[in-house]
Amino acid sequence: MKIKSIKLIAVAVMLAIATPAFAQFNKAKLIKGAGKAVQAMTITDEQMAAYVKEYIDWMDKHNPVTGPDNEYTKRLARLTEGLTSVEGIPLNFKVYDVIDVNAFACPDGSVRVFSSLMDIMTDEELLGVIGHEMGHVAHKDSKKAFRQALLTSALKDAVASTNGVAAALTDSQLGSLGEALASASYSQKQEKAADDYGYEFLKAHDKNPWAMAFSFRRLKALQEQAGAQKTSKMNQLFSSHPDLDLRIQRMEERATKEGFAQPENK
Ligand SMILES: [Zn+2]
């Protein structure tokens, strides 16, 4: 039996839910990073693509990707049938069989959904999250975050020292890249736009867009549960911020205004 645990840091990666303090911390880091970047280098689209490929190949190699006959694989394949590209970027989907509750998308259209997220969501809620992640790809948010992560101090020398071609990153550099990506957060504006994308995505697939708000409610319930159990030292950062509440409210108001009946919350 798989042991379930709640890792709020992972939830945070997906939704970039942040207290003002946390946001400020990130902002300070980003500004510092950007300052270095100006004098350092530019990264071409070709280099970016090569680094993204290195990263996602490394992630797929170091995480338990579910096999073709696995129930998670089949469920995700069924849900994403016909989803081949977003804004001309080809999509590919895989499941990581891990305890973190998360999903992420890379700028190359690689979308990874974690089994523990699939466990807590209905099909429609999961589609809402997938739509949200596709929104980050379509809006180039994930590309910007990836570029920024490449320019963090642990990596910029490796990236800078290669004249025009992408460096082959070592395991530890790829680990640093993963950490930089995990601590990156999207702005509220980017998150709102991705929420709207997910909402439209549900509508376009004849699903009730209330699922968007419902998926956030699930994550909120997780947060509260984790807060009560004091399982994570990140809790204090996430205990009282209003972001998720506001996002739930926004999605609910939109669905109500557009005349969608609220389904029973399963
Ligand atoms: Zn997001």
Side-chain angles (χ1 to χ4, degrees), residues 42-112:
T42 55
I43 302 174
T44 65
D45 278 357
E46 288 72 22
Q47 285 172 303
M48 268 287 287
Y51 284 122
V52 170
K53 182 164 175 15
E54 274 188 61
Y55 178 70
I56 195 65
D57 285 351
W58 183 81
M59 285 294 281
D60 287 350
K61 197 174 139 199
H62 290 87
N63 283 287
V65 176
T66 57
D69 295 328
N70 181 284
E71 289 305 318
Y72 289 111
T73 309
K74 289 185 197 166
R75 184 179 170 207
L76 187 65
R78 178 170 53 78
L79 285 174
T80 59
E81 200 183 345
L83 294 179
T84 52
S85 70
V86 57
E87 302 291 321
I89 303 165
L91 292 165
N92 74 89
F93 298 90
K94 284 186 169 68
V95 179
Y96 290 169
D97 195 8
V98 291
I99 57 173
D100 306 68
V101 177
N102 203 2
F104 70 87
C106 281
D108 69 341
S110 299
V111 180
R112 300 295 178 261

Side-chain angles (χ1 to χ4, degrees), residues 38-189:
V38 171
Q39 54 162 3
M41 79 213 85
T42 55
I43 302 174
T44 65
D45 278 357
E46 288 72 22
Q47 285 172 303
M48 268 287 287
Y51 284 122
V52 170
K53 182 164 175 15
E54 274 188 61
Y55 178 70
I56 195 65
D57 285 351
W58 183 81
M59 285 294 281
D60 287 350
K61 197 174 139 199
H62 290 87
N63 283 287
V65 176
T66 57
D69 295 328
N70 181 284
E71 289 305 318
Y72 289 111
T73 309
K74 289 185 197 166
R75 184 179 170 207
L76 187 65
R78 178 170 53 78
L79 285 174
T80 59
E81 200 183 345
L83 294 179
T84 52
S85 70
V86 57
E87 302 291 321
I89 303 165
L91 292 165
N92 74 89
F93 298 90
K94 284 186 169 68
V95 179
Y96 290 169
D97 195 8
V98 291
I99 57 173
D100 306 68
V101 177
N102 203 2
F104 70 87
C106 281
D108 69 341
S110 299
V111 180
R112 300 295 178 261
V113 183
F114 295 10
S115 55
S116 296
L117 178 76
M118 296 178 74
D119 287 340
I120 63 163
M121 293 201 173
T122 65
D123 284 357
E124 297 197 349
E125 290 161 2
L126 212 47
L127 266 186
V129 172
I130 289 166
H132 173 101
E133 290 302 321
M134 283 169 53
H136 283 312
V137 176
H139 301 149
K140 307 275 192 279
D141 301 336
S142 50
K143 189 174 176 183
K144 281 178 204 147
F146 199 95
R147 185 183 297 272
Q148 190 62 53
L150 281 173
L151 300 177
T152 55
S153 52
L155 285 161
K156 73 173 181 64
D157 291 340
V159 174
S161 65
T162 60
N163 282 327
V165 290
L169 299 176
T170 63
D171 268 356
S172 89
Q173 285 167 337
L174 286 158
S176 298
L177 181 56
E179 275 173 36
L181 287 168
S183 65
S185 66
Y186 293 130
S187 69
Q188 286 187 1
K189 196 176 155 199

